[in-house]
Amino acid sequence: MWILNQLLLVISIGFVYVEAVDLIQDYLSPRASQAIINGTGWRTLNQTVLSKPYDPKAHPRGIINLGLAENWLIQDKLKEYLQHNFTIDPLSHLTYGQGAAASPTLRKALAGFFTTHFKPNQPISEYDFIVASGVTSLIDSLTWCICSDNEAIIIPRPLYNGFPTDMRLRSNGTLLPASFMRDNETVSLEDAFNPTSLNRSLEKTLEESNRHSGKAVRGVVIANPHNPLGRCYSKEALMTLASFCGRHRIHFISDEIYANSVFPDENLFTSVLSLNLSGIIDPNLVHVMYGMSKDFGASGLRLGALHSRNQNLIQAAAGVNLFSWPSYLAQDMWARLLQNETKTNELLSQNRNLLNQTYSNVTSWLDRRNITYFRGGNAGLFVWARVLNVSESIGPQKYNDMVTCFLETCRCHGVNIGDGRNFLAEGGFGWFRITFSYPFKMLECGLKRLGQVLDKMKDGECVRNETCAGVNITLCE
């Protein structure tokens, strides 16, 4: 177990090790060097996966990306609605509009949407929002606003693999992963949702930071519903998180981008905004993020919304937002949809039904192959599965080599899944995140391709091929 902890510590610092970049001859600053290092993940993903996308007609041998949390299930329905119900207004969409704070039309529509779907305990005002180019941009802005250089934000494990990059790439914040491990006890993924375990983990992480690193802790961030575990936090767990932040007077940030990707019953989700936090935490310390990427299948529109009752934070974030200001054209596309409550509810209902079906499809496939996975998922676009059943006794170096070989082989066979090391998982080697929010035939084909790779594994070993030449990629019907 000590070896696993050391491996996760190394991953938490660097994720993918990259040699220091010598930029002397390029006359760039040290922070430019750091940006090159911290931006490695997306560059690698582009080179190995995103540049070779699957398309049933144009690129049938392309990579079916079960590693990226994209929702393809209602894209055609959204496209059809926008094509027939949205027009370009030159005054609103081809000018600077009203600046970087956000389209007034969208802010008003968001206030109505949050009131209906987040069941807020206090009234929602359109002036409590800013809109940026995705939740990624908002995490960067929030980190910049609440942290000085190298000050820290706590995140319980396992965590969304984008948080570390989003928090440190430009804003230079520090990630503190909160561990659920205790001496002589086996960690359970269920601990991530247990109020007692959550409180113990957060207090221990804060105490160790104060004692060893001296870094000031400025907040806690969670993904609710959870990424990568795909489950909603209970009201009791959220109250525990809010209480911890309130006691220590630090920010409580809830990324609720999957708020309506909940199945089979939308009422399983509890927003932080719905809680009565009077006397528990200063409302100026509570912030909620949402976006169009997941529930509406529109990650390419790059739209994220931050809700906060802290008007100084809103103004500061709006200032930073000058550098991540989405077009009014994209903003008002979302607004037009949200203004049509009937169509919005129809799309969200269809999305939940389809997610429920595809979740059943992927878990049935995992059951047939006797692959362990985190059960009881009720939200999100993915399932957390122990695809490689290997022992920690093989050591971190051999495991890293195995995962690299395995993922390379997957890509040769036209499929990709999420590398579990980047989510800082606890509880053994072999965990991966598998996205299932794809049309049925495409998902089935991707799982067949993944199954072919697993069938080639010999005694748990990965047989590395020098090239992908000669691989017979399974074609979708």
Side-chain angles (χ1 to χ4, degrees), residues 153-156 163 167 219-223 251-255 289:
I153 297 176
I154 298 175
I155 310 179
F163 277 147
M167 288 170 16
V220 172
V221 64
I222 61 167
H251 295 266
F252 181 22
I253 304 165
S254 183
D255 175 357
M289 298 180 293

Side-chain angles (χ1 to χ4, degrees), residues 68-129:
L68 193 63
E70 282 195 322
N71 184 359
W72 290 35
L73 294 173
I74 57 171
Q75 286 179 343
D76 287 342
K77 294 179 177 64
L78 177 64
K79 179 190 74 171
E80 181 181 358
Y81 176 80
L82 292 177
Q83 283 179 332
H84 291 91
N85 294 275
F86 185 79
T87 56
I88 297 175
D89 175 4
L91 181 61
S92 298
H93 303 142
L94 303 183
T95 68
Y96 287 119
Q98 297 189 31
S103 157
T105 305
L106 178 55
R107 282 193 281 112
K108 186 174 182 179
L110 283 168
F113 179 80
F114 269 55
T115 298
T116 299
H117 294 276
F118 289 70
K119 300 179 177 60
N121 181 263
Q122 298 293 325
I124 296 285
S125 167
E126 62 190 276
Y127 300 105
D128 294 339
F129 291 95

Side-chain angles (χ1 to χ4, degrees), residues 20-79:
V21 179
D22 182 4
L23 297 178
I24 294 177
Q25 72 272 21
D26 292 326
Y27 307 102
L28 300 182
S29 68
R31 65 185 176 190
S33 173
Q34 196 62 37
I36 291 175
I37 294 171
N38 290 339
T40 299
W42 275 104
R43 287 198 305 276
T44 301
L45 186 64
N46 179 61
Q47 293 165 2
T48 59
V49 179
L50 299 181
S51 60
K52 308 165 187 177
Y54 168 83
D55 182 275
K57 295 181 180 178
H59 305 290
R61 289 181 170 79
I63 294 177
I64 298 176
N65 192 0
L66 306 183
L68 193 63
E70 282 195 322
N71 184 359
W72 290 35
L73 294 173
I74 57 171
Q75 286 179 343
D76 287 342
K77 294 179 177 64
L78 177 64
K79 179 190 74 171

Side-chain angles (χ1 to χ4, degrees), residues 189 363 365-375 383-389 427 429-432 434:
L189 291 171
T363 53
W365 181 86
L366 292 168
D367 286 335
R368 289 195 298 272
R369 285 191 160 264
N370 295 316
I371 294 175
T372 300
Y373 60 92
F374 181 69
R375 295 180 179 271
V383 62
W384 186 241
R386 197 171 188 182
V387 176
L388 299 179
N389 189 17
F429 289 164
W431 292 93
F432 294 81
I434 302 175

